[in-house]
Amino acid sequence: ETYHIATSGCQMNVADSERLAGVLENNLNLSVAEIPGKADIVILNTCSIRDHAEQKVYDALGPYAARKRRGEPLALVVAGCVAQQEGEALMKRVPEVDLVMGPQYVARLGDLLDDVSRGHQVVATDPTLLVEDLSRPVRGHDVRAWINVINGCNEHCTYCVVPGVRGVEQSRPMENIL
């Protein structure tokens, strides 16, 4: 099987996509699709900051939803901040979506896809404590790496969505970082 991840937004989303790819390749033995439109699993890792972010996600889902309506086998996943904000509403608007998952569920992708393979639609956006991700991320660069030291935030600045979409502040143990 093959996968395709389309990433939008900040460096945190880039880091999350590298971790998602790590789970798909190292834990589930999938490979990157040479043709994104033919992938068996498609993940849209979304950003809610950009102008009309939600509408851009719905627009991007269109061709993949059409594939599913034609009966093509496809697991369609919406991850990231729009997924966290929209939750079940996203699945109601585009019923072809199999999995809606917030950023704090990246390490649980394998288990969530297992539920999808059994025919379930899954919404994973409830607040949760992060599970340390033991998979090896698939890095997009040979020299640099995006490494999360802390996830979420407790500050609730008026201009910022991080506490609402990435959850409460959770630090990683130093031995897991070094």
Side-chain angles (χ1 to χ4, degrees):
E1 289 192 342
T2 61
Y3 74 90
H4 171 67
I5 300 174
T7 306
S8 62
C10 68
Q11 292 90 345
M12 290 293 292
N13 277 10
V14 174
D16 288 348
S17 288
E18 290 179 347
R19 292 172 49 226
L20 289 164
V23 171
L24 294 169
E25 290 186 26
N26 300 322
N27 299 13
L28 303 178
N29 298 315
L30 274 67
S31 58
V32 176
E34 290 183 26
I35 302 169
K38 298 286 186 187
D40 300 299
I41 297 174
V42 172
I43 301 175
L44 302 181
N45 192 7
T46 63
C47 171
S48 62
I49 297 298
R50 307 292 184 234
D51 287 340
H52 312 293
E54 293 85 359
Q55 188 55 49
K56 288 178 183 177
V57 171
Y58 290 119
D59 290 346
L61 285 169
Y64 299 112
R67 275 184 61 194
K68 289 197 74 161
R69 285 192 300 273
R70 288 192 302 269
E72 293 181 38
L74 168 66
L76 187 52
V77 179
V78 180
C81 298
V82 171
Q84 183 66 36
Q85 280 185 330
E86 296 288 297
E88 238 175 275
L90 201 151
M91 203 170 272
K92 286 180 182 171
R93 185 163 168 188
V94 184
E96 294 82 6
V97 171
D98 297 295
L99 169 59
V100 175
M101 57 180 278
Q104 64 272 29
Y105 285 87
V106 169
R108 298 179 180 166
L109 177 63
D111 292 333
L112 297 171
L113 286 174
D114 188 46
D115 288 342
V116 167
S117 72
R118 288 189 228 151
H120 301 288
Q121 283 186 305
V122 181
V123 177
T125 56
D126 290 337
T128 185
L129 291 176
L130 292 174
V131 174
E132 187 62 34
D133 189 354
L134 301 177
S135 68
R136 296 178 326 272
V138 174
R139 301 290 182 203
H141 199 275
D142 292 336
V143 180
R144 70 172 177 252
W146 303 107
I147 299 172
N148 295 3
V149 175
I150 191 170
N151 293 286
C153 183
N154 293 339
E155 298 304 319
H156 298 279
C157 300
T158 58
Y159 57 85
C160 185
V161 300
V162 169
V165 295
R166 292 211 167 253
V168 297
E169 187 174 290
Q170 297 180 59
S171 295
R172 293 178 60 207
M174 186 172 22
E175 59 273 8
N176 292 353
I177 298 167
L178 299 176

